Amino acid sequence: METQLAPLEDLFTLNVVAPHLKRFRPPPGPHDPRGDWALDYVVYTLGSIRGHGGRLGTLSLRRKATAGDGAILAIDYQKRVTPDGFQKVVAGITCRGDRLATPTRWRYSAEIARPGQVTLETTRLEKSGEAKDRQVEIIDHGGVRPMAVPPSWTINWALFEAVGRLPREPFDPIRFALLDHFDQLKANQVLSFRQSVEVAIGGKPLRLHAYDHLGEGIVPWIYWVDEQGRLLFAVSGLEAYLLDAFGPS
């Protein structure tokens, strides 16, 4: 008996990114979400910003496994914010191997650059952080800022790694606080299983598992993960992160 494939048009949020998936090809080969891996994404706007829709930028995510299922994440993010300017974020995050990839320390820089990678010096920002017991310390040129955190918390970028290790079946929702953009604490976040579904993408059947992230002070996210724990698509409001696995045009 053939498996009934669900049309992309019937699946929120795959329905809104379907026009960008016409050349998508499910990546071949094995993937170990607890191992060393590299995933690259194309960032799209699903609407129009200052008259510029479509492709906004790129995200490069690298994982280096450490003891106890922990990891060191390397992030390189570039996103167009003006017709001739890009926001650049480069970060390193050391994470535990728990279900939220809870960070223990991190460092990042952010800046606005123009074509030719010319940095606008007044836009450059560098910060680091470290978790200690029930608080984190945010460190920058102005000194050290302590911040109390609950037992369960994480950084938004760490969730791109964490969802690949979640059960691919219903589980009790995970309640936590989010340290958004590395230093903005947002309470009452929930990460939960949404559904599993068989779809046809790139001319091949593909089983996907979706997770919802809802919470105070954020635009809701939906993460779509394949059978091996590889995050293929992440959609939040009018932004989408699509794994860069496209065939020739």
Side-chain angles (χ1 to χ4, degrees):
M1 183 176 179
E2 293 186 1
T3 301
Q4 185 68 34
L5 300 180
L8 295 185
E9 293 76 11
D10 293 345
L11 298 169
F12 183 79
T13 54
L14 292 184
N15 56 352
V16 295
V17 300
H20 300 294
L21 298 180
K22 293 178 180 179
R23 293 189 295 108
F24 184 85
R25 298 294 181 267
H31 175 78
D32 179 3
R34 293 175 173 81
D36 297 345
W37 47 254
L39 295 173
D40 296 312
Y41 298 87
V42 181
V43 184
Y44 285 94
T45 173
L46 305 176
S48 178
I49 298 177
R50 298 184 183 92
H52 294 271
R55 180 168 173 154
L56 275 182
T58 59
L59 168 66
S60 172
L61 185 61
R62 302 288 185 269
R63 184 187 197 274
K64 178 68 175 178
T66 60
D69 275 348
I72 298 173
L73 302 179
I75 295 162
D76 189 326
Y77 174 61
Q78 298 192 31
K79 172 185 172 183
R80 188 177 69 233
V81 291
T82 67
D84 65 345
F86 286 79
Q87 179 190 23
K88 296 175 59 179
V89 175
V90 177
I93 309 173
T94 301
C95 302
R96 296 194 179 104
D98 57 24
R99 59 185 181 173
L100 286 173
T102 305
T104 57
R105 66 181 64 87
W106 59 96
R107 179 180 296 276
Y108 80 98
S109 66
E111 63 190 36
I112 303 296
R114 286 180 174 161
Q117 305 298 307
V118 178
T119 299
L120 303 179
E121 289 300 330
T122 57
T123 69
R124 185 167 179 81
L125 174 69
E126 294 184 353
K127 290 188 180 183
S128 62
E130 186 172 356
K132 297 182 177 180
D133 298 323
R134 291 287 297 276
Q135 74 171 23
V136 299
E137 293 182 348
I138 309 296
I139 306 161
D140 61 16
H141 69 278
V144 179
R145 176 166 63 98
M147 180 187 301
V149 292
S152 187
W153 68 278
T154 194
I155 287 176
N156 55 319
W157 292 117
L159 289 173
F160 276 62
E161 187 274 344
V163 293
R165 296 183 288 104
L166 290 176
R168 289 183 271 284
E169 61 185 7
F171 56 84
D172 290 339
I174 303 171
R175 302 183 184 278
F176 64 103
L178 184 72
L179 198 58
D180 204 10
H181 301 295
F182 297 99
D183 60 2
Q184 301 172 28
L185 190 65
K186 298 179 179 180
N188 299 321
Q189 309 291 310
V190 180
L191 183 62
S192 60
F193 180 83
R194 181 182 182 91
Q195 67 183 123
S196 295
V197 65
E198 294 267 357
V199 298
I201 299 180
K204 296 182 178 180
L206 185 63
R207 184 164 180 79
L208 298 177
H209 310 274
Y211 305 91
D212 286 310
H213 173 199
L214 307 173
E216 293 182 6
I218 70 162
V219 177
W221 285 82
I222 296 182
Y223 298 94
W224 293 91
V225 174
D226 70 10
E227 277 282 80
Q228 299 183 69
R230 185 189 280 112
L231 176 63
L232 299 186
F233 319 120
V235 184
S236 177
L238 294 178
E239 271 192 15
Y241 296 74
L242 310 181
L243 189 68
D244 193 2
F246 296 89
S249 57

